[in-house]
Amino acid sequence: MQQAEGLKKQLSQIVEDAKGTWGIVVEEIGQGICFEHLPDQSFIAESVIKVPIMAAVFAAAWQGEFSLEDRLALRREDMVHGSGMLFALSPGLRLSIRELATLMIIQSDNTATNILIDLVGKERIEQTMRELGMKESRYVRKLMIYPADNPGNNTITARDVTTMLSQLGAGRFLSAKACEEMVDIMKKQQFRNGLPSLLPVADDGKGKEMLATDWEIACKSGWDTGRQHDAGLLYVQGRCFAITALSQDVEAEEALHTLGSIGKAVYEYAKLG
């Protein structure tokens, strides 16, 4: 109990020192909420919305609508800029649905995201978000496409995202195997400048840094001018923490340091046993 109070105090200080507005929820899977700050504040989702989109793809595959190994051709009209690499490749390239989901998460590829949105549809994504417990979050539109009727932005709350992560971390959505596959994709994340940025790393003896062996993280970030989010499952010595930190009205460098400090605080708390 004393250690938990210490974590709350440390996270409270991090929030107090941070600029901008933050929505934060930390939950230890199986143990309950450790900390929350403005958990129900609504934020523009940025690329964090790609996690429930991935879950919607897995749900459709689970119900037999297609196989994750089915291949889709990249079309010129699918290609949008922003994060990822598919916009720079040649139309006609065929990728499996699993590969598209992987690129959507680990490179935050917007073209892959929009292809998958077209595949499963808005209704499926909304249904999946409800099933994941995302009561106050909204999926509205594709990425990097701004319709003339301006339907608004995709939005999330820290409570909703943490609830979703907890479902995946506990293996409670679709099946334990499906959750494991989605978490494994998130563990391959290439953008690691947020929550994991201040966690310890080991040297391989040849001057190259390697991840320490006592932690893993499965995460997804999102950002734009004035906003910096990160959310993930942090595994430390047999314990698993769902962490969501969303921000607005922030400078990128300062916000990334805040995210790193949050990740480090939870890691150090978990190490205490």
Side-chain angles (χ1 to χ4, degrees):
M1 181 65 71
Q2 186 174 1
Q3 292 172 353
E5 288 303 315
L7 174 63
K8 291 179 182 178
K9 183 176 180 180
Q10 189 173 359
L11 291 174
S12 295
Q13 188 63 55
I14 290 171
V15 173
E16 185 177 333
D17 292 342
K19 296 180 180 178
T21 301
W22 288 80
I24 302 170
V25 175
V26 178
E27 177 183 350
E28 182 171 6
I29 306 300
Q31 301 298 319
I33 299 294
C34 302
F35 177 82
E36 57 184 18
H37 175 78
L38 299 181
D40 300 313
Q41 172 85 30
S42 182
F43 292 82
I44 295 176
E46 304 302 344
S47 289
V48 178
I49 198 68
K50 293 170 182 175
V51 180
I53 291 171
M54 173 177 65
V57 171
F58 271 74
W62 177 260
Q63 293 186 5
E65 296 178 21
F66 48 74
S67 166
L68 292 175
E69 310 314 320
D70 289 347
R71 292 189 171 271
L72 302 177
L74 178 62
R75 303 174 303 174
R76 190 174 300 279
E77 57 266 34
D78 293 325
M79 299 164 79
V80 294
H81 287 258
S83 301
M85 56 178 267
L86 288 184
F87 74 88
L89 302 182
S90 300
L93 175 69
R94 298 183 66 83
L95 294 162
S96 73
I97 294 170
R98 186 188 301 277
E99 289 167 341
L100 289 166
T102 300
L103 289 172
M104 174 175 68
I105 297 298
I106 73 171
Q107 289 192 346
S108 208
D109 194 292
N110 291 325
T111 296
T113 303
N114 287 349
I115 292 172
L116 294 175
I117 290 171
D118 284 340
L119 177 67
V120 299
K122 185 175 187 290
E123 185 177 339
R124 165 73 71 179
I125 295 169
E126 292 173 331
Q127 177 185 341
T128 298
M129 291 173 71
R130 290 192 298 269
E131 291 171 353
L132 287 166
M134 303 181 74
K135 299 178 182 178
E136 303 301 326
S137 299
R138 298 290 179 268
Y139 167 78
V140 176
R141 61 173 176 83
K142 294 162 74 172
L143 280 70
M144 302 302 292
I145 294 175
Y146 305 93
D149 58 359
N150 188 23
N153 294 298
N154 305 319
T155 60
I156 52 175
T157 70
R159 187 189 305 279
D160 279 359
V161 175
T162 300
T163 299
M164 170 189 66
L165 292 171
S166 297
Q167 293 271 71
L168 299 181
R172 292 194 296 262
F173 181 68
L174 301 178
S175 70
K177 182 177 185 297
C179 288
E180 183 181 358
E181 289 180 9
M182 286 185 275
V183 170
D184 282 345
I185 288 174
M186 294 174 67
K187 285 180 179 180
K188 297 179 176 70
Q189 178 60 243
Q190 295 182 2
F191 294 102
R192 304 175 72 87
N193 57 349
L195 289 172
S197 62
L198 298 180
L199 300 185
V201 294
D203 193 295
D204 68 353
K206 300 177 183 178
K208 182 179 179 181
E209 285 187 347
M210 301 174 63
L211 295 182
T213 56
D214 66 344
W215 65 269
E216 275 190 299
I217 193 165
C219 58
K220 183 73 196 79
S221 56
W223 65 90
D224 199 352
T225 303
R227 292 184 289 275
Q228 201 78 47
H229 308 330
D230 206 357
L233 293 163
L234 177 61
Y235 297 85
V236 184
Q237 295 182 336
R239 304 172 74 177
C240 178
F241 295 81
I243 309 171
T244 303
L246 313 175
S247 66
Q248 62 189 25
D249 303 320
V250 294
E251 295 293 331
E253 186 175 351
E254 291 179 351
L256 288 170
H257 179 75
T258 298
L259 289 169
S261 298
I262 292 167
K264 182 180 180 183
V266 176
Y267 166 80
E268 290 176 344
Y269 164 71
K271 288 276 287 184
L272 293 174

